């Protein structure tokens, strides 16, 4: 049975005549819990009786757990998650750059939607980042509910009100900045980067592989054969396979307790979702280039570094940036050879842009949407995604369109070979 007791204030080590009331109540394990700071005996007793009623009804939340700070619970929540590596990086970037500076020391029970919504309107980052930050906060608060730290998630199902300051981060990208590349541009970039690294550029442009899928492509999954019954015989074409267990290389930071510096690691992980596990049809010209490369390349991973290891994103950036953006000429310096000047081909072009390029080409060539979604590793939405399926005729049409696009670009450039021997 809950009751209230006096708690006398102490000043200079001596008890004074001033006091407050402390609630005492029976916890679920039979021990006595307490909560100080009530101005009257009645309020303290009523609060304790409310705790015991919640315990009997099975909805009690330990007040000590509800006072855990958002930052402390976030570390616990992040440690319990097992997402793909890139997701871990993205979450920590949101937490460290945006969320924790404001909410790290806030008790869980003190976080309200009113305060979070007001805070979101002061953020000067892109609207998409604001949305991701609110989503991540809501996921963590839902975790706090599941861990019985709080009764409800005040962020669940809520939508931002008013306008944020995200416009201060700069104007929206223009259509010219949301890049896709003409096939001639992809070929010029590939030639400049050489028969190995340039082949990854070509493969990304003509198949739409994600970055991690490309550098994680193993030779055992390269140029396998798709075989389907078609027109009284069989349709066959070479494919690249994205595996279910080790579909792509993830790169992320490992955080060690007590160590400030984060350790960067790479490892093979499953693709981001079930639809990303797929076989990608390869047009004839690309199959021939890959076949020649596999004969000459000594390593297991088709697009690895010269030593056979996976590329790091920043190291790949050192290669693709001058190739796409251009560079000035340099003289020989010690063991570093002289370099000729390169005119810009397409400043700012990235591997992600090349994946977008492939999907744009598919739309331009009127590839059946259900096949275009499959080849990109996307889920075809709606009931049509259940009823429609790619057919050999659809596949043949797509491959012929990609082959024509390559041949037309080669004619426009006046090339007979991709690589300038």
């Amino acid at each position: 049975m809950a009751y209230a007791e006096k708690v006398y204030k102490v000043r200079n080590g001596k008890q004074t005549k001033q006091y407050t009331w402390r609630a005492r109540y029976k916890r679920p394990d039979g021990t006595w819990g307490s909560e100080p700071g009530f101005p009257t005996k009645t309020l303290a007793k009523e609060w304790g009786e409310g705790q015991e009623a919640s315990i009997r009804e099975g909805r009690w939340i330990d007040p000590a757990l509800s006072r855990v700070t958002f930052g402390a619970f976030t570390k616990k929540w992040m440690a319990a998650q097992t997402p793909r590596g890139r997701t871990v990086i993205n979450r920590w970037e949101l937490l460290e750059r945006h969320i924790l500076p404001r909410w790290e020391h806030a008790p869980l029970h003190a976080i309200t939607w009113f305060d979070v919504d007001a805070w979101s309107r002061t953020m000067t980052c892109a609207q998409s980042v604001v949305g991701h930050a609110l989503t991540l906060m809501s996921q963590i608060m839902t975790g706090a509910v599941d861990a019985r730290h709080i009764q409800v998630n005040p962020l669940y199902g809520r939508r931002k009100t008013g306008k944020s300051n995200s416009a201060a981060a700069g104007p929206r990208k223009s259509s010219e900045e949301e890049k896709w590349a003409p096939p001639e541009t992809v070929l010029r970039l590939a030639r400049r980067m050489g028969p190995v690294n340039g082949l990854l550029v070509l493969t990304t442009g003509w198949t739409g592989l994600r970055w991690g899928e490309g550098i994680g492509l193993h030779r055992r999954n390269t140029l396998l054969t798709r075989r389907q019954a078609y027109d009284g015989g069989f349709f066959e074409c070479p494919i690249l396979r994205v595996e279910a267990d080790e579909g792509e290389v993830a790169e992320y930071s490992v955080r060690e307790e007590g160590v400030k510096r984060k350790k960067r690691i790479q490892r093979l992980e499953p693709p981001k979702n079930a639809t990303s596990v797929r076989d990608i049809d390869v047009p004839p010209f690309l199959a021939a280039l890959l076949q020649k490369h596999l004969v000459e390349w000594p390593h297991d991973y088709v697009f690895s570094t010269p030593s056979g290891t996976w590329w790091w994103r920043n190291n790949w950036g050192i290669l693709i940036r001058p190739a796409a953006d251009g560079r000035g000429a340099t003289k020989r310096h010690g063991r570093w050879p002289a370099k000729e000047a390169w005119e810009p081909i397409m400043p700012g072009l990235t591997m992600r842009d090349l994946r977008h390029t492939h999907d744009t080409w598919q739309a331009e060539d009127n590839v059946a949407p259900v096949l275009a979604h499959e080849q990109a590793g996307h889920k075809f939405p709606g009931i049509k995604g259940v009823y429609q399926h790619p057919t050999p005729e659809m596949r043949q049409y797509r491959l012929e369109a990609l082959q024509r696009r390559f041949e037309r670009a080669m004619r426009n450039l006046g090339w007979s070979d991709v690589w300038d021997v």
Side-chain angles (χ1 to χ4, degrees), residues 347-376:
L349 184 69
T350 65
M351 298 300 286
R352 182 178 178 84
D353 293 331
L354 290 173
R355 175 167 160 80
H356 289 194
T357 290
H358 178 73
D359 215 30
T360 302
W361 290 351
Q362 291 192 114
E364 192 174 58
D365 290 330
N366 295 314
V367 174
V370 66
L371 176 59
H373 277 71
E374 180 213 71
Q375 294 290 281

Side-chain angles (χ1 to χ4, degrees), residues 390-408:
T391 66
E393 191 164 339
M394 293 178 189
R395 297 187 188 280
Q396 185 64 42
Y397 175 85
R398 172 181 174 273
L399 292 175
E400 289 174 354
L402 291 172
Q403 182 71 17
R404 285 195 304 270
R405 186 175 288 272
F406 166 75
E407 293 172 354
R408 185 170 64 248

Side-chain angles (χ1 to χ4, degrees), residues 180-241:
W180 65 275
E184 293 84 358
T185 297
V186 180
L187 283 166
R188 289 175 61 207
L189 181 62
R191 173 176 282 196
R192 181 172 279 183
M193 295 186 69
V196 178
N197 299 328
L199 186 54
L200 176 54
V201 168
L202 279 185
T203 302
T204 304
W206 262 270
T207 67
L209 278 173
R210 295 183 177 93
W211 164 253
E213 295 169 347
I215 63 169
L217 182 65
H218 198 282
R219 60 169 57 238
R220 69 170 176 267
N221 293 323
T222 306
L223 300 185
L224 304 178
T225 301
R226 182 191 300 278
R227 192 169 191 263
Q228 293 177 288
Y230 175 60
D231 197 22
F234 291 94
F235 165 79
E236 293 185 345
C237 74
I239 59 169
L240 306 179
R241 175 161 294 165

Side-chain angles (χ1 to χ4, degrees), residues 9 19 56 78 87 100 103 153 193 220-221 229 233 249 266 279-280 287 291 298 304 310 323 342 352 358:
K9 296 182 179 180
Y19 60 85
R56 287 193 299 271
M78 287 291 289
T87 302
L100 292 181
W103 300 103
N153 172 10
M193 295 186 69
R220 69 170 176 267
N221 293 323
V249 175
Q266 292 174 305
D279 292 338
I280 304 173
Q291 183 62 53
S304 67
W310 297 317
W342 280 347
R352 182 178 178 84
H358 178 73

